[in-house]
């Protein structure tokens, strides 16, 4: 089975020129979903991972399954304004303007080994902000794992420059 074949590509969504990599088709196929989770977990099996941090929203689905497999806890990295208790917030640049991600102030116990999970890394801006935020809370970021990498956009290299090993299961050229 080839994981790339289970990912659907939608041209010009949400904007002209973007090839949207849709993982709902992967999640909708039991064997592909299981394979993706198994492959995301594999490099970390047997390591002490205290928490998986999943990035909203597709990172919640994959990250929850990965956390379960690793017997780790889970913490959500959310878009601003969604978390009910006191938060830490990190601003990051988008193509036009800025956005913000948040975690709960008490989400991380300083020194905890944390694995960051999302469905896709493009420019790496979102993952970078998540890592900065988790590090501010005292996390020891042991890796960042994605189903899809768009290497032409340089995100994986950007995250590795932060001293975080990046793992991706499938690479697609272009945007
Ligand atoms: P970036 O911050 O540029 O690395 O973008 C990563 C975030 O945007 C992830 O949460 C992805 O789910 C989403 N994303 C960016 N580009 C795409 C794409 N071509 N297809 C699907 N999702 C994308």
């Amino acid at each position: 089975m080839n994981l790339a074949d289970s990912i659907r590509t939608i041209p010009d969504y949400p904007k002209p020129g973007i090839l949207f990599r849709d993982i709902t088709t992967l999640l909708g196929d039991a064997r592909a979903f299981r394979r993706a989770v198994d492959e995301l977990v594999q490099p970390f099996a047997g390591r002490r991972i205290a928490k998986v941090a999943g990035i909203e929203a597709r990172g919640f689905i994959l990250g929850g399954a990965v956390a379960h497999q690793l017997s780790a806890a889970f913490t959500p990295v959310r878009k601003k304004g969604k978390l009910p208790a006191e938060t830490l917030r990190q601003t990051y640049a988008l193509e036009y303007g800025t956005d913000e991600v948040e975690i709960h102030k008490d989400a991380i116990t300083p020194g905890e080994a944390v694995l960051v999970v999302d469905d896709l890394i493009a420019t790496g801006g979102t993952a970078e902000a998540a890592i900065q935020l988790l590090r501010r809370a005292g996390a020891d970021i042991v890796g960042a794992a994605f189903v899809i990498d768009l290497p032409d956009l340089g995100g994986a290299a950007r995250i590795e420059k932060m001293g975080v090993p990046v793992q991706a299961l499938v690479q697609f050229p272009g945007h």
Side-chain angles (χ1 to χ4, degrees):
M1 190 228 303
N2 185 353
L3 272 184
D5 294 339
S6 67
I7 298 161
R8 175 165 59 188
T9 299
I10 314 285
D12 300 321
Y13 181 89
K15 288 192 290 196
I18 305 281
L19 289 174
F20 190 87
R21 306 299 181 171
D22 173 23
I23 64 152
T24 65
T25 43
L26 179 152
L27 300 172
D29 174 337
R31 287 181 61 220
F33 186 17
R34 188 186 174 102
R35 167 77 78 90
V37 173
D38 284 348
E39 286 190 20
L40 288 170
V41 164
Q42 200 267 328
F44 303 97
R47 296 198 35 201
R48 262 196 209 90
I49 309 288
K51 248 167 214 156
V52 172
I55 301 176
E56 186 167 358
R58 285 161 275 163
F60 294 174
I61 303 161
L62 295 159
V66 168
H68 175 80
Q69 289 284 88
L70 291 172
S71 299
F74 178 85
T75 197
V77 177
R78 298 213 66 176
K79 308 278 162 63
K80 64 163 179 274
K82 305 279 184 98
L83 288 168
E86 268 196 90
T87 61
L88 294 175
R89 185 177 286 191
Q90 184 78 37
T91 304
Y92 62 102
L94 296 174
E95 199 178 346
Y96 304 105
T98 61
D99 213 342
E100 286 168 296
V101 283
E102 289 184 332
I103 57 172
H104 273 144
K105 256 188 183 155
D106 59 0
I108 301 296
T109 303
E112 272 184 330
V114 175
L115 171 64
V116 175
V117 173
D118 201 0
D119 67 327
L120 181 147
I121 182 161
T123 66
T126 313
E128 181 183 68
I131 291 165
Q132 287 169 338
L133 190 55
L134 292 157
R135 280 182 168 166
R136 276 169 53 201
D140 171 20
I141 308 291
V142 296
F146 306 88
V147 174
I148 303 159
D149 177 25
L150 307 182
D152 296 348
L153 297 182
R158 180 172 173 182
I159 299 307
E160 290 198 326
K161 253 193 221 143
M162 302 175 82
V164 175
V166 173
Q167 183 223 357
L169 309 184
V170 175
Q171 300 198 323
F172 289 120
H175 291 222

